[in-house]
Amino acid sequence: MKIIIKNLGPIKQAEFTLGELTILCGKNNTGKTYATYALFGFLSFWHEKFYIDVSDDAIQKLLNEGSVELDIKNSINDSRNILENSCKAFSGQLSHVFASPERHFSGSSFMVELDVVDDMKINYERIMGTAKTQLLSISKKSDSPLVSISLLVEKEEVRVPRDLIHNIIGDALKDIVFGHLFPRPFIASAERTGAAIFRKELNFARNRLLEEMGSGEKDINPLKLLSSVYSDYALPVKANVNFTRQLEELSKKESDIAIHHPAILADFADIIGGRYHVTKNDELYYRPKGTSVQLTMDESSSAVRSLLDIGFYLHHVAAPGDLLMVDEPELNLHPENQCRVARLFARLINIGVKVFITTHSDYIIKELNTLIMLNQNDARLKNIAEREGYRPSELLDAGKVRVYIAERASIKQEGARRKTTCQTLIPAQIDPETGIEARSFDTTIEKMNRIQDEIVWGGDE
């Protein structure tokens, strides 16, 4: 999947391709967070708001006859237009993603390019409806291009709006055509520690709103109240707040990782030095390993708070095919734990969870380099890996990694005759034998080493 962005924050024009691991590096205020938030916003809007258009005739036939068949080839043939229209619609929503005035995004655009696989062998079967009523059966067999849609209630008993039926069917068609191409995103924003420590206050504020909505006062607009909750925050921050508020309910579920890869969760518990626990009263605690002590988030370390969202995601939500996005995973972590988080990411990638990070951490990049360089069919390197405790499940294939440096560079913009210097994203070289070329960090490190060498050994005479 290639993403093309224009006039987004500091970034004038840039493109990047998602890998199994995608990394954005660069100095502060160079556009990394803009690119990250826009990608998360698009994937969220795609899964929650976008759907393939369904003709009124098809809806009418379904309501009249109780069933209808749609040829999925029509949607596949029109996939590029569907995707282009979705991107244009999303570009118009960027101000909502960033909770900023529309004028800041008047010339912005976000586009996605991908190859839609013409795969008729997809099996699909879903039952759709409301909380109380099963409304529609939608299915597709692997040996047929036809999607069969049937009413599960008598047409006289259909009590939902036509628009809702239209959206349900359009969403199913979207999943059949594009489902394998767009990962389900989860983001841990750089503001995640605040959501953890102020969780009670956030719940209290929301409950007060609900009380006001139920008070019966005529001058209260429920929809306006609900839409105004956290409206001043960017979408990823709101996503973190909402996720943190739902921890009690989430803790009742087990993720695919918890079921099939519990060793990954054990590694995570070692990183934070304990475990998270949510009580039946929705109280959140951290339990340090080897003790019976229960600490609130206020009493816990900043590292424990910064990894809270990621911990609950891994335990209760994560599944292969997801995209885990972490803005500055090094936040509040000791260098040793930064390296361990890098190894955790590698394990996730190797079981099918995609990872996207922005980072200022040389420790994370160097550890990822180690995982790439050790992944060779070489006896000497295998001995080093075994001696230093690196497991095969942590080693990384260089071909799965994409790294981009946010910086000013000379590029040819669309429609221009000459190259111009502007803020963009430049792909970094990744070599299986030497790892990632992270010049974003190397220049600073080399300068520090030069100064310290001169302090210790003296300058040239």
Side-chain angles (χ1 to χ4, degrees), residues 290-303:
T291 74
S292 59
V293 174
Q294 291 195 139
L295 303 176
T296 64
M297 287 300 102
D298 308 55
E299 298 167 324
S300 301
S301 71
S302 57

Side-chain angles (χ1 to χ4, degrees), residues 21-40 98 186-194 234-237 240 302 305-310 323-333 338 341 345 354-361 364 406:
L21 169 62
T22 309
I23 304 171
L24 301 188
C25 301
K27 297 180 180 179
N28 298 117
N29 304 313
T30 54
K32 301 185 301 299
T33 298
Y34 272 90
T36 302
Y37 280 18
L39 175 60
F40 174 77
F98 290 91
F186 176 86
I187 193 166
S189 71
E191 291 80 11
R192 56 190 178 273
T193 55
L235 180 64
V237 178
N240 283 166
S302 57
R305 294 197 297 271
S306 71
L307 292 173
L308 174 70
D309 282 7
I310 298 172
L323 177 65
L324 170 60
M325 306 180 72
V326 186
D327 199 0
E328 300 183 15
E330 67 270 19
L331 197 63
N332 300 317
L333 299 186
Q338 293 183 39
V341 164
F345 288 158
K354 296 178 175 63
V355 176
F356 182 108
I357 66 172
T358 71
T359 186
H360 297 287
S361 172
I364 287 179

Side-chain angles (χ1 to χ4, degrees), residues 117-329:
V117 179
D118 187 357
D119 186 0
M120 295 298 175
K121 296 182 180 180
I122 295 173
N123 263 315
Y124 186 91
E125 191 159 352
R126 295 289 187 275
I127 302 296
M128 308 290 191
T130 64
K132 297 181 179 179
T133 306
Q134 292 184 339
L135 180 63
L136 294 174
S137 168
I138 304 176
S139 63
K140 179 194 172 298
K141 303 299 182 184
S142 60
D143 58 353
S144 172
L146 299 179
V147 178
S148 300
I149 305 162
S150 301
L151 283 176
L152 297 178
V153 297
E154 295 296 329
K155 55 182 180 290
E156 294 82 7
E157 298 177 13
V158 176
R159 296 288 185 268
V160 298
R162 287 174 64 108
D163 286 349
L164 179 57
I165 297 175
H166 179 280
N167 292 354
I168 290 173
I169 297 172
D171 196 59
L173 295 178
K174 177 188 69 179
D175 284 347
I176 294 170
V177 178
F178 296 99
H180 58 298
L181 300 171
F182 289 98
R184 181 183 61 160
F186 176 86
I187 193 166
S189 71
E191 291 80 11
R192 56 190 178 273
T193 55
I197 198 169
F198 294 115
R199 181 170 176 267
K200 286 185 178 179
E201 287 77 1
L202 293 168
N203 278 337
F204 177 77
R206 177 179 177 274
N207 291 339
R208 284 293 301 273
L209 282 177
L210 293 175
E211 287 175 9
E212 290 183 31
M213 288 169 58
S215 66
E217 295 182 18
K218 294 181 179 179
D219 58 343
I220 293 178
N221 184 329
L223 293 177
K224 186 176 181 180
L225 270 177
L226 281 177
S227 65
S228 68
V229 178
Y230 318 131
S231 60
D232 292 336
Y233 301 109
L235 180 64
V237 178
K238 287 188 279 190
N240 283 166
V241 169
N242 289 331
F243 184 80
T244 305
R245 282 184 39 249
Q246 299 170 31
L247 294 186
E248 182 191 11
E249 193 63 31
L250 288 169
S251 64
K252 299 174 184 177
K253 307 172 183 177
E254 280 194 315
S255 69
D256 182 90
I257 291 176
I259 296 170
H260 300 293
H261 306 281
I264 291 178
L265 301 185
D267 283 353
F268 181 84
D270 284 343
I271 293 173
I272 64 171
R275 295 183 183 277
Y276 301 110
H277 175 63
V278 179
T279 70
K280 293 181 180 179
N281 297 323
D282 198 25
E283 295 174 330
L284 174 63
Y285 294 104
Y286 164 70
R287 292 176 174 174
K289 186 178 181 180
T291 74
S292 59
V293 174
Q294 291 195 139
L295 303 176
T296 64
M297 287 300 102
D298 308 55
E299 298 167 324
S300 301
S301 71
S302 57
V304 167
R305 294 197 297 271
S306 71
L307 292 173
L308 174 70
D309 282 7
I310 298 172
F312 272 86
Y313 166 75
L314 295 178
H315 276 75
H316 307 292
V317 179
D322 283 359
L323 177 65
L324 170 60
M325 306 180 72
V326 186
D327 199 0
E328 300 183 15

